[in-house]
Amino acid sequence: TIRGPKMCGHGVPDSVDVSTNQDCGVLKQTLRNGTGTTPLPGAMVTAHYTGWLENGNKFDSSRDRGVPFEFTLGQGQVIKCWDQAFATMTISEHAVISCTAPYAYGSQGVYGTIPGG
């Protein structure tokens, strides 16, 4: 269940807290509504993404490679942020998702690419 809107200290304006703990750890701003129902755990998700750091630097993009990313929802194959945010999305929905370090790569980050939080 999504409660909100909630004032959180990071992310983009008009975003909604979609974290399961409702702790502002995963925020989603819907840019374009999709169709259908949200996926269930175990569903295969296929999506394009572009990853941006808070300083505006792009660190990764499936669009640059021309191949969408695929993962099984709710199986821990991706960062917690993605498992939780994509569980709230529908087919063809476009959104900006932001998250805190515990929902991404934690305090260690990804060496040379994503700073720890």
Side-chain angles (χ1 to χ4, degrees):
T1 301
I2 299 173
R3 296 179 226 133
K6 180 190 251 183
M7 295 300 292
C8 297
H10 69 98
V12 293
D14 302 319
S15 59
V16 176
D17 181 3
V18 296
S19 62
T20 55
N21 292 333
Q22 291 292 287
D23 60 3
C24 294
V26 182
L27 302 180
K28 181 179 86 169
Q29 177 193 33
T30 301
L31 303 177
R32 184 175 83 192
N33 289 323
T35 59
T37 59
T38 56
L40 297 173
M44 180 61 67
V45 173
T46 303
H48 271 295
Y49 70 91
T50 301
W52 299 92
L53 299 175
E54 287 181 330
N55 66 9
N57 290 337
K58 179 170 53 173
F59 64 85
D60 193 17
S61 175
S62 66
R63 291 193 180 281
D64 290 350
R65 290 186 296 279
V67 178
F69 184 76
E70 293 185 346
F71 67 97
T72 305
L73 187 68
Q75 304 300 304
Q77 296 176 349
V78 293
I79 58 175
K80 291 178 190 176
C81 176
W82 278 28
D83 266 338
Q84 293 184 24
F86 278 97
T88 71
M89 297 177 73
T90 56
I91 295 172
S92 296
E93 181 176 337
H94 288 212
V96 174
I97 299 165
S98 64
C99 62
T100 58
Y103 288 89
Y105 298 100
S107 60
Q108 73 277 5
V110 176
Y111 181 77
T113 307
I114 300 171

